[in-house]
Each structure stands twice: as C-alpha cells, then as structure tokens.
Amino acid sequence: TVMFSGQAVTLIINGKPTTLSADKVVERLKQMPAAMLAKAEVMPAAPAKYHVRGMAINIVTKDFMGTDQLSSQLTGGWRQHKYGTGYASGSIVYNHGKLGIDASYMFTDGTGYGQVEHEANHPLNGQRVPYNDKTRNRSDGIDHEYRIGMDYAISEDHRISLAYTGQWNSTRSTNTTTGTAQSAQHSRQHTYLHNADASYSAPFGLHLGVSYTNYQEPRTQNLDGTLNDISRNLSVNSHQKVSKWLFTADQSHALPKGWELNYGGKAQFTNNNSYQTTLNDIGLPLSDATSHVDYDERIVNGYVGLNKHFGKSLSLDASVTAEQYHATKWNEWRIYPQFNAMWNINAQNMINLSFSSEAVYPSYWSTMSSIYYASAYSEIWGNPDLKPMSKYDINLMWQLNRISSFTAFAMLEPDYF
C-alpha cells in the first residue's frame, strides 16, 4: 500500500483506467522492467480524465515506437519470516517499428503465518465475564500470475493497445484458537482471475477504453470448536463470482490563451453472483449463515474540466463529475468536484492546494445477509443495507528545499459506514 501524509494513493499506469484491483496494478508494476519506466506524475487530486479520485501516481512508461528494442528481466527471491516463501518472475519487452509486445509471468510458492489475540470483559446479567484467546493462522499456497500486452502505433498520437492479465491461486489455511475458546478451522480456496483491457487514442484528443474482469473464488471450510457449554461443528461452502465491465470516453481540446478543456464519462456494469451455505454437525443448513445474492450494479458518470499553466510557476486544474449509482436497493445521483493548484515558488520550494471528492464502496462479501463463524467466539455479520459513502479531502502542502513536506489536511465523510 502506498501512503502519503496518512492518505492512500492510487497507482495507475499510462493514465489508462482498468477494472483490475489496486493490488494487481502494484504487481504489474513490480514485474515491469526498469528500462520501461520514464517518470512518475504525483497528483494530490487526480483529474477526472483518469477516472480515479483522490491522490494518485501515474506511472508513465517510455515510448519505444519506431525503434527496434528487445529487453528482458528475470527476478527470483526468498522471503523468510516464521516460514518461507519463494518466488520467480520473468518479463520481456519487444518493439519493432510500430508494434510493441510485452509479456510477464510470476510464480510464488510458500507458507504464510499470522496471529491475533482477543481480550474482553463482557457484561452479562449484571456481572462481567472475562474472555481471552489467541488465534494462529498458517496458510500454504501457490500462485501463478501472467500477462501479455500489445501496442500498435497507426501514426503519431494514433494508437491502439490490448492486454490480457490472468491469475490462478490455490491456498490451504488453518486457524487454531486457544484460550477461553478452543477451535480449529480448516479451509481451502482457489482464485481465478481473467482481465482484458483495450484502449484507442486518436490524434484529435479522443481516448476510448474498455476493460473487463471476471473474478471467481470458491472456498470450503470446516470449523470444530467449543466455548464454555457451546459447541460449533460447521462446514461452509461458498463461491464468489464477480463480473465487471468498464467503458470510458474522454475528449480534450486546446483553447485560446493556453487553456485546455476536458470532458467525458464512464459506464461501469457489475454482476455479483455469490453464495454461502453453512451446515451443522448433522448436515442441516443454518438459515442465518446461508445466503445467495445475484444482483447487478451500475455506475454512470459524466465530467467536464479545465486546466491551464501560467508560465512555469503556477498550474490550475479543476473538474466536476455527476455520477449515478444504481444497485438493488439504491439509486442515487451525487456530485464530485475536484480542484488542484500548484505554485512553484522557486527551484527548491513548492506549495500545493488540492480538493478532491469520491465515493467509497463496501466490499461485496460485507453486503451478504448472512453470518460467518470465524471461530467458536468470533462472528462476522453481513449487512445488505450498506451503501456507498461520500468522502471529501482538502490538502495544503508546502515542500521545503525539496526535502521536507509540511501538510495540513481535513477529511469529511458525511455518510460514513
């Protein structure tokens, strides 16, 4: 996770929107050969044309079009904590005239470990009941991640890009709880990910993008535990399947006196088809821990923005986005403004004022109307009434001597969940 002044930072590559999750973008960056990197654009408030909100870093790669290039990179390593994990990856970049191809593969095999402790003093019938436990987790798994991409330059500022990213993962996990509660939980899960991205850039400032992701995670779990006179012997079978489409269109125009006009929008369509079935020790389903969802979610927005550079010292960028969120229980319109002003006082000092706003969405699993028994003591309750919340950030930063940064910021979340 990349943080700056206590705030999360979104990573994007060459300004292209994608339905890939943030951790997959990080993995893509890790596998990219260093020879491909040109610069990193740090944006305290990302312009609306990037289709991300808040603070972002745009990783810009070198343009090898029109040249003949071949470069590759091999990486291997071993991470040792309580247990060990080994990994190996390889990538290759090939350019010939107008065509560019890149491919990468990464394999990981190892064991992870974690632990968590609870200490509580519960009120019950006018008295206090003490509780404590320690849960140790061990997970063993293998992971394959792969990608292939293609870029073709029809002419200058006129190109098309295609890419496929995939993942296959298999993990076995054991949670052992000791203390007031005694339990053992064994689980096995697989992860299947398929992603395809396509983009088109025209010489008159038009950018079109399409992205599709299919994610599946089947999992089986068995829990055997006791808490005082309560026994829990449960078996759980669950499957999460998410399909997501993203369409973007952006247009920019150069205006008189150095102003630039940007406008566009996006349409995102998601289907979440997931279920969880929980059986007791005699094979009967538990109604409060069994559920199934199959719903569609739609996010549609449009934006307009202006930016201008005043000499080499001052730059301004502002935009406003109108967005509709539609799901089974919700159908809302929201307005998200964005503003960023940067003043380069001199070669060593800079002041930046930014304001950003965004929507924060609950995870799909957290909105399922069922209970998940993590141990004989811990329960995780889903809440289908969760809805997105708005988040507003204002940030004033002074960079002194290109070394120290002083920041004053405020954050408002009026619909916090």
Side-chain angles (χ1 to χ4, degrees):
T1 302
V2 181
M3 305 286 290
F4 182 82
S5 294
Q7 300 183 57
V9 179
T10 302
L11 290 177
I12 53 180
I13 300 176
N14 290 326
K16 297 178 181 178
T18 180
T19 50
L20 282 175
S21 61
D23 60 325
K24 292 293 177 273
V25 177
V26 171
E27 289 302 322
R28 162 79 176 123
L29 184 61
K30 288 180 179 179
Q31 297 179 39
M32 189 180 295
M36 289 184 64
L37 303 181
K39 61 180 179 179
E41 298 174 339
V42 181
M43 300 173 287
K49 65 181 180 180
Y50 290 122
H51 300 285
V52 298
R53 299 196 179 103
M55 187 169 291
I57 297 178
N58 181 31
I59 306 297
V60 180
T61 60
K62 294 179 181 178
D63 188 359
F64 293 119
M65 289 301 173
T67 66
D68 292 334
Q69 298 268 347
L70 177 63
S71 62
S72 62
Q73 175 176 285
L74 293 175
T75 305
W78 180 270
R79 295 189 295 266
Q80 181 66 43
H81 297 284
K82 184 177 179 67
Y83 303 106
T85 299
Y87 63 94
S89 67
S91 60
I92 187 170
V93 179
Y94 171 74
N95 278 89
H96 179 68
K98 297 181 178 182
L99 178 66
I101 297 175
D102 68 275
S104 63
Y105 169 77
M106 184 172 187
F107 173 75
T108 304
D109 185 4
T111 301
Y113 176 82
Q115 68 181 43
V116 63
E117 299 182 34
H118 295 110
E119 184 174 346
N121 201 15
H122 292 285
L124 180 65
N125 298 329
Q127 298 180 347
R128 290 282 176 171
V129 180
Y131 177 88
N132 67 84
D133 73 18
K134 175 184 284 188
T135 299
R136 299 174 176 86
N137 169 268
R138 171 175 171 151
S139 59
D140 300 272
I142 59 174
D143 184 77
H144 304 267
E145 296 187 44
Y146 32 89
R147 181 187 189 275
I148 184 168
M150 184 274 290
D151 292 276
Y152 185 76
I154 303 170
S155 62
E156 187 177 358
D157 298 326
H158 191 195
R159 61 182 58 192
I160 186 171
S161 300
L162 302 171
Y164 166 78
T165 302
Q167 180 187 18
W168 185 90
N169 174 282
S170 178
T171 302
R172 293 177 180 268
S173 180
T174 299
N175 288 326
T176 305
T177 301
T178 57
T180 307
Q182 306 279 331
S183 66
Q185 183 192 72
H186 306 277
S187 67
R188 182 170 185 176
Q189 74 177 59
H190 290 83
T191 298
Y192 307 98
L193 171 73
H194 302 282
N195 166 263
D197 289 333
S199 64
Y200 170 76
S201 300
F204 50 89
L206 176 66
H207 299 275
L208 301 176
V210 179
S211 181
Y212 172 74
T213 292
N214 181 276
Y215 176 86
Q216 297 190 49
E217 184 184 286
R219 177 185 298 187
T220 58
Q221 295 164 302
N222 293 282
L223 170 66
D224 294 295
T226 58
L227 171 59
N228 298 328
D229 57 345
I230 300 174
S231 296
R232 280 187 174 154
N233 305 102
L234 308 174
S235 60
V236 181
N237 184 29
S238 62
H239 193 138
Q240 184 178 33
K241 180 180 179 181
V242 178
S243 298
K244 181 180 292 186
W245 282 95
L246 172 65
F247 303 91
T248 61
D250 305 277
Q251 178 69 54
S252 61
H253 296 283
L255 301 179
K257 299 183 179 181
W259 288 92
E260 183 180 85
L261 171 67
N262 300 284
Y263 56 89
K266 79 170 184 180
Q268 180 175 295
F269 305 94
T270 306
N271 175 261
N272 175 25
N273 188 341
S274 304
Y275 69 84
Q276 173 186 313
T277 302
T278 304
L279 306 178
N280 61 16
D281 55 347
I282 59 174
L284 297 177
L286 298 182
S287 59
D288 60 355
T290 297
S291 65
H292 174 258
V293 297
D294 184 6
Y295 71 86
D296 296 313
E297 176 186 82
R298 182 183 71 234
I299 302 173
V300 179
N301 71 31
Y303 73 89
V304 60
L306 288 169
N307 64 75
K308 177 178 172 61
H309 290 272
F310 298 87
K312 297 182 179 180
S313 299
L314 181 64
S315 63
L316 299 176
D317 184 284
S319 64
V320 61
T321 302
E323 183 170 276
Q324 186 207 34
Y325 172 77
H326 177 86
T328 304
K329 291 191 174 185
W330 311 107
N331 187 18
E332 297 182 352
W333 279 95
R334 302 191 187 194
I335 304 297
Y336 296 106
Q338 172 269 338
F339 173 81
N340 190 76
M342 184 178 295
W343 178 27
N344 288 295
I345 304 172
N346 52 45
Q348 300 298 319
N349 296 276
M350 180 268 291
I351 293 178
N352 192 97
L353 174 65
S354 64
F355 174 81
S356 64
S357 53
E358 62 180 312
V360 180
Y361 297 93
S363 65
Y364 291 122
W365 271 126
S366 66
T367 57
M368 292 191 68
S369 58
S370 64
I371 304 172
Y372 170 69
Y373 297 97
S375 68
Y377 172 75
S378 299
E379 300 175 1
I380 302 173
W381 289 51
N383 182 0
D385 292 325
L386 286 178
K387 67 173 183 177
M389 66 179 180
S390 296
K391 179 183 176 184
Y392 303 93
D393 289 284
I394 186 168
N395 188 299
L396 177 63
M397 181 182 68
W398 174 30
Q399 192 175 77
L400 177 63
N401 293 327
R402 298 294 181 184
I403 298 175
S404 304
S405 295
F406 301 90
T407 305
F409 63 91
M411 179 178 65
L412 176 65
E413 295 174 329
D415 328 318
Y416 179 77
F417 65 80

